[in-house]
Amino acid sequence: MKFDDKIPIYYQIKNYIYGQIITGKLAPGEKIPAVRQLAVDLTVNVNTVQRALGELISEGILESRRGLGNFVTEDQATIEEVKHKLIMQQLHEMYENLHDLNVTDDEIVAYLRQYIKDRRTTKDGQYN
Amino acid sequence: MKFDDKIPIYYQIKNYIYGQIITGKLAPGEKIPAVRQLAVDLTVNVNTVQRALGELISEGILESRRGLGNFVTEDQATIEEVKHKLIMQQLHEMYENLHDLNVTDDEIVAYLRQYIKDRRTTKDGQYN
DNA sequence: TATAGTGTAATAGTAAAATATAACACTAGG
DNA sequence: CCTAGTGTTATATTTTACTATTACACTATA
């Protein structure tokens, strides 16, 4: 997995797991891969994985069963809450940053529509 | 100035200067504050300021005149380019992250409109 | 020419994330 | 009871951003 060196790896792993759960690639109640396996898959250290999982466990989206593994919460409502929270965080960050550049509400919406439209006709990768 | 501890300080300073220039708080051709003064204002080290300014100078949005100071480029086109690039980067990041959560194009637009609407009737700060 | 104000850069030290490695604790199943 | 698979934790080390400090280079001007 490729990481953005401007953001802590454990934090990027946390967001990766969020994504897996929210998109259903990891289902409610499902056992997630073992920490040592995740460390191999993501080519990071076990402790780094553990730091990410620890926060997810604290938030209740994962449950730890010692000796058995880590499991996605059964509570679909918790997952929905987290999804909504993440969506709002994304919008908030983008919105605040553009407002700091004096871009108005209407301009933000217009730019977004244009971006989406352009995206369908242009090859990707120009803003990575 | 308050910094996000998940992002390098020099990088946040760079974005801060971008904002000052794009919004015209620092005008084309204008001398920006001395590096030592910026360090005091932002409560960071001179070297950290210098690292941010160094990148802005490399990009041509700032010009360094040894013994005199650092100046915003006179070239309005360069500034416009940078503004557009920053806007697209913001949209791109938000868009990619939401798509990774299986949020569709239409849903992104709808969520944004809702976010903007809610923002006008709700007290701020809930997504910081 | 001396000085104050400016950018530039090097050195050494600090702090936090990440790593490598090892050990410990618990569970299920043979 | 032993073992394999799992989570948990600790120690030492490495890496890098950041800091503190100092020095150097250039410019305008008194």
Side-chain angles (χ1 to χ4, degrees):
Chain A
M1 181 170 175
K2 67 282 172 260
F3 294 106
D4 181 342
D5 65 5
K6 299 265 191 321
I7 305 171
I9 292 175
Y10 85 90
Y11 195 77
Q12 296 180 63
I13 292 174
K14 194 178 164 187
N15 282 323
Y16 168 74
I17 306 279
Y18 272 140
Q20 296 285 302
I21 294 173
I22 287 170
T23 61
K25 294 185 184 76
L26 290 173
E30 183 178 351
K31 178 180 177 300
I32 77 172
V35 290
R36 289 172 184 79
Q37 187 58 48
L38 277 174
V40 171
D41 294 347
L42 303 172
T43 60
V44 298
N45 188 271
V46 176
N47 291 316
T48 306
V49 172
Q50 193 65 19
R51 178 161 180 185
L53 297 187
E55 295 198 0
L56 294 167
I57 292 164
S58 297
E59 293 171 17
I61 194 162
L62 286 186
E63 291 171 14
S64 167
R65 300 185 207 153
R66 197 186 184 96
L68 293 179
N70 292 305
F71 298 79
V72 178
T73 179
E74 298 272 6
D75 184 1
Q76 188 67 47
T78 297
I79 294 174
E80 277 304 318
E81 271 174 35
V82 167
K83 175 175 180 176
H84 189 257
K85 188 188 76 175
L86 291 176
I87 290 172
M88 288 305 151
Q89 279 177 349
Q90 284 296 321
L91 290 173
H92 180 69
E93 184 181 331
M94 179 274 291
Y95 183 91
E96 290 296 323
N97 287 336
L98 292 194
H99 252 216
D100 287 349
L101 300 180
N102 280 358
V103 183
T104 67
D105 287 2
D106 289 346
E107 286 170 339
I108 291 175
V109 174
Y111 275 126
L112 175 59
R113 300 196 106 105
Q114 189 61 45
Y115 172 83
I116 290 173
K117 187 181 294 179
D118 288 353
R119 210 166 183 291
R120 291 199 258 263
T121 56
T122 313
K123 51 195 170 311
D124 296 338
Q126 63 272 51
Y127 298 117
N128 289 314
Chain B
M1 181 170 176
K2 66 282 172 261
F3 294 105
D4 181 341
D5 64 6
K6 299 265 190 323
I7 305 171
I9 292 175
Y10 84 91
Y11 195 76
Q12 297 181 63
I13 293 174
K14 193 179 163 185
N15 282 323
Y16 168 74
I17 306 279
Y18 272 139
Q20 296 284 303
I21 294 173
I22 287 169
T23 60
K25 295 186 183 75
L26 291 173
E30 183 177 351
K31 177 179 178 301
I32 75 172
V35 289
R36 289 173 184 78
Q37 187 58 48
L38 278 175
V40 171
D41 294 347
L42 304 172
T43 58
V44 297
N45 189 271
V46 176
N47 291 315
T48 306
V49 172
Q50 193 66 22
R51 179 163 180 187
L53 298 187
E55 294 197 1
L56 294 167
I57 291 165
S58 297
E59 293 171 18
I61 194 162
L62 286 185
E63 290 172 14
S64 165
R65 299 184 207 154
R66 198 185 184 95
L68 293 179
N70 292 306
F71 297 80
V72 179
T73 179
E74 297 272 6
D75 185 1
Q76 187 67 46
T78 297
I79 295 174
E80 278 302 319
E81 273 173 33
V82 167
K83 175 175 180 176
H84 189 257
K85 189 189 75 174
L86 291 177
I87 291 172
M88 288 306 151
Q89 278 178 350
Q90 284 297 320
L91 291 173
H92 180 69
E93 184 180 330
M94 179 274 292
Y95 182 91
E96 290 296 322
N97 287 335
L98 292 194
H99 252 215
D100 286 350
L101 298 181
N102 280 357
V103 183
T104 66
D105 288 2
D106 288 345
E107 286 170 339
I108 292 175
V109 174
Y111 276 127
L112 176 59
R113 300 195 102 106
Q114 189 61 44
Y115 172 83
I116 290 173
K117 187 183 295 179
D118 288 353
R119 207 167 185 293
R120 290 198 260 263
T121 55
T122 314
K123 50 196 170 311
D124 295 338
Q126 63 272 55
Y127 297 118
N128 288 312

